[in-house]
Amino acid sequence: MPMGVVMSSRQKKRVAQSGCETPEYGINTSKLGRNGSGGVATARLAQVISRSSNACQTAWVRGGRRPAGMTPQRTLSRTVSCSGIGLHSGRKVTLRIKPAPADHGIRFRRLDLNGLEVPAEADRISSLSYATALTQDAASVGTVEHLLAAFVGLGVDNATVELNAAEVPIMDGSAASFVYLVHEAGVKTLSAARRFLKVARPIVLSKGDKRIAVYPSDHFKVTYSISFDHPLLRHQSRTQQITEDSFAEEIAPARTFGFLKEVEQMRQKGLALGGSLDNAIVLGETGVLNNTLRFEDEFVRHKILDVIGDLALVGHPIIGHVVAHRAGHALHAGFAQKILQESDAWHLVDAPLAPAPEEAAVPETVTGTQPVKT
């Protein structure tokens, strides 16, 4: 398992029972866990986490050579699928991720609405109530952030995501299932260059005591801090440089969380209808109700996962240091739109600078909009 993950005997049993569907190499979660939550993908993630993503890439399509200084766009090598439950709708959904050509971007396709598509773009944001939803014309798709984070974290630029309902399945509440799917599919390079959004000057957005900013840096890094009126969550902070390995091992397995006292109120609003102890960390008055934490600071790691997914709506991988304090989906989404509006604060480049040595993730206090360090 990824570092810090604790496997229960039931999870080990699920690993033994698990297998890929053919011919699409999907995960059949309908028989695994209550509500088909997809915990098996997290358990099996250790089997693929050490694979180099480059091992699945095809040769450069133009004579096997890549132009100097250019990073190619990538897509999946084959179609993969999974099924699970919508966190808020409570409905079963089947999701299929298909390869797509260069410059296609990420697009959601609603098979139950005659193939209507919704692009993963900031101007398609339609709802931000405990999750991020996108809408175009008569089609909407909700809870997109964990899947989008997996695409960003693993360097997938182009894909078509087909689903037969209005919400991406929650799986086990993390992005581990989607990391597993991408690793099972493999990735291949395409002929077009990947364009990175390199931050040239700070961009800041705040609302009350909630803040988010991005600062110039030579790589993509996130510092996030949270605080809640709860014994386990008085304050947590983490800084994480995002690479394919660090995302898969340190961020993707972190699950969504909620408070028991808020569950009934959410359900009265038609939310969290598919929530269960299998797909979320549930906090009672004094501690975690359902299971062992995968990381001591799993809560703030999940917030890093959320902001990576929400900022995917910018449409380009970011080269910069994102610093957030108690931000949440609404501020993340507003910040994605603000980044695009402040076009004088960044420029597009075909390749990042040579990667700096990966920095250790050090918990740090973030009380303002100044970067902790760059």
Side-chain angles (χ1 to χ4, degrees):
M1 294 295 291
M3 185 181 301
V5 178
V6 178
M7 286 183 65
S8 66
S9 59
R10 184 173 64 179
Q11 286 175 318
K12 292 177 181 177
K13 182 178 180 181
R14 289 177 180 175
V15 173
Q17 293 174 331
S18 63
C20 292
E21 297 173 346
T22 57
E24 295 180 334
Y25 295 86
I27 304 172
N28 184 350
T29 65
S30 60
K31 299 179 181 179
L32 302 171
R34 294 189 295 274
N35 290 339
S37 62
V40 62
T42 303
R44 293 193 64 200
L45 184 58
Q47 299 177 13
V48 295
I49 206 72
S50 61
R51 297 180 187 173
S52 167
S53 59
N54 292 330
C56 296
Q57 294 182 8
T58 60
W60 182 247
V61 295
R62 292 180 177 172
R65 293 185 178 181
R66 180 186 307 167
M70 173 181 168
T71 301
Q73 293 181 27
R74 303 202 299 183
T75 188
L76 301 189
S77 294
R78 61 175 67 90
T79 298
V80 286
S81 64
C82 66
S83 61
I85 296 294
L87 174 62
H88 294 299
S89 67
R91 296 178 180 175
K92 185 173 181 179
V93 55
T94 297
L95 178 145
R96 183 177 293 111
I97 309 173
K98 305 177 72 172
D103 297 321
H104 176 275
I106 307 299
R107 287 179 166 268
F108 295 90
R109 179 180 294 160
R110 289 283 302 275
L111 298 182
D112 57 323
L113 296 178
N114 298 316
L116 289 179
E117 291 191 349
V118 183
E121 299 172 351
D123 60 358
R124 303 301 173 190
I125 297 168
S126 58
S127 175
L128 297 162
S129 184
Y130 295 96
T132 301
L134 308 173
T135 298
Q136 177 165 274
D137 300 326
S140 296
V141 58
T143 318
V144 300
E145 58 272 17
H146 300 168
L147 178 57
L148 292 180
F151 288 149
V152 172
L154 300 180
V156 175
D157 306 285
N158 304 286
T160 296
V161 181
E162 295 182 342
L163 60 168
N164 62 353
E167 190 176 10
V168 173
I170 190 61
M171 308 308 284
D172 71 344
S174 75
S177 299
F178 303 127
V179 169
Y180 171 80
L181 285 174
V182 172
H183 281 157
E184 281 295 292
V187 295
K188 65 179 180 180
T189 56
L190 301 170
S191 59
R194 177 185 292 166
R195 309 301 306 280
F196 295 84
L197 189 151
K198 182 166 176 57
V199 177
R201 68 162 175 82
I203 306 172
V204 181
L205 180 64
S206 62
K207 183 177 181 180
D209 64 346
K210 300 179 179 182
R211 295 174 290 278
I212 185 169
V214 65
Y215 299 89
S217 180
D218 289 337
H219 42 264
F220 182 35
K221 182 167 61 174
V222 179
T223 295
Y224 212 112
S225 65
I226 58 174
S227 60
F228 292 90
D229 184 18
H230 189 278
L232 286 182
L233 290 177
R234 298 295 185 195
H235 179 81
Q236 283 190 359
S237 181
R238 184 177 184 85
T239 294
Q240 185 76 55
Q241 182 175 332
I242 306 302
T243 66
E244 290 187 34
D245 286 343
S246 71
F247 176 82
E249 296 176 5
E250 305 292 342
I251 301 302
R255 295 160 295 171
T256 191
F257 61 93
F259 299 92
L260 181 63
K261 63 183 180 181
E262 297 177 356
V263 171
E264 186 57 36
Q265 181 181 1
M266 292 176 66
R267 289 182 171 171
Q268 289 176 358
K269 296 179 180 179
L271 300 171
L273 300 180
S276 75
L277 298 181
D278 278 342
N279 57 34
I281 302 170
V282 180
L283 290 157
E285 292 295 327
T286 59
V288 176
L289 295 183
N290 47 329
N291 48 33
T292 304
L293 293 177
R294 294 174 177 172
F295 308 94
E296 185 177 358
D297 60 348
E298 186 169 359
F299 306 100
V300 74
R301 291 181 193 235
H302 186 79
K303 289 296 187 179
I304 293 175
L305 173 65
D306 279 346
V307 77
I308 292 171
D310 288 336
L311 293 185
L313 299 173
V314 168
H316 298 279
I318 293 173
I319 303 176
H321 183 182
V322 175
V323 181
H325 175 64
R326 302 188 70 241
H329 288 298
L331 209 61
H332 298 167
F335 191 58
Q337 294 170 333
K338 185 177 178 67
I339 289 173
L340 293 176
Q341 292 166 0
E342 297 196 16
S343 57
D344 62 331
W346 49 267
H347 54 274
L348 297 179
V349 297
D350 285 348
L353 298 178
E358 186 168 346
E359 300 173 13
V362 180
E364 299 177 7
T365 301
V366 184
T367 56
T369 55
Q370 294 300 312
V372 176
K373 61 181 180 180
T374 57

